[in-house]
Amino acid sequence: MATSEFVNYVVDLLAPYGYIRVRPMFGGHSVYRDGVIVAIIVGEELYFKVNEQSVCDYRNRGSKPFTYKARDKVINISYWQVPLDIMEDKELFGNWLDVAYQISLNTKNKKS
């Protein structure tokens, strides 16, 4: 589970970009921007929501997907680790967050 120190750090990073709320979830935390899930925190890692197009940016920076094991299978979900250099650059971080937010909105709208 993520430490509250890391969760607080992530909330501080995200605060300038909208109303941020974090909720405990399956041993980690879900991160919401303006009521829409955009990320998860597991351990000491932040993962943003991705789609087929945005995942290339993550791969190009050496990022990895969030995975978990269930019934002897490795499960990939559409969240990828936010690279450290992105987290340290406010402008890039905001851009990547905006992309994750739009992906989540589009996913939510498709389900409705």
Side-chain angles (χ1 to χ4, degrees):
M1 179 176 250
T3 64
S4 50
E5 184 176 312
F6 186 73
V7 171
N8 290 339
Y9 168 70
V10 169
V11 169
D12 287 346
L13 277 177
L14 295 169
Y17 306 103
Y19 174 69
I20 303 300
R21 193 173 98 207
V22 176
R23 296 175 56 186
M25 170 190 83
F26 305 116
H29 293 80
S30 53
V31 180
Y32 296 81
R33 174 185 174 189
D34 299 327
V36 177
I37 188 168
V38 293
I40 58 174
I41 300 170
V42 180
E44 300 292 312
E45 298 293 341
L46 173 65
Y47 299 85
F48 277 163
K49 179 89 169 155
V50 299
N51 64 11
E52 291 176 9
Q53 292 78 34
S54 69
V55 75
C56 295
D57 293 329
Y58 290 81
R59 276 195 192 106
N60 290 339
R61 292 189 179 264
S63 177
K64 296 182 180 178
F66 172 74
T67 62
Y68 64 95
K69 197 170 184 178
R71 298 184 186 148
D72 297 325
K73 285 184 170 183
V74 175
I75 309 296
N76 291 311
I77 60 173
S78 56
Y79 290 87
W80 279 60
Q81 181 182 33
V82 180
L84 185 57
D85 63 320
I86 298 300
M87 290 178 72
E88 293 174 343
D89 183 312
K90 288 182 182 184
E91 185 175 339
L92 281 175
F93 187 73
N95 292 340
W96 282 46
L97 173 61
D98 287 342
V99 170
Y101 180 70
Q102 288 303 316
I103 291 167
S104 288
L105 280 177
N106 291 340
T107 302
K108 185 177 177 180
N109 290 337
K110 286 180 184 177
K111 289 180 182 178
S112 297

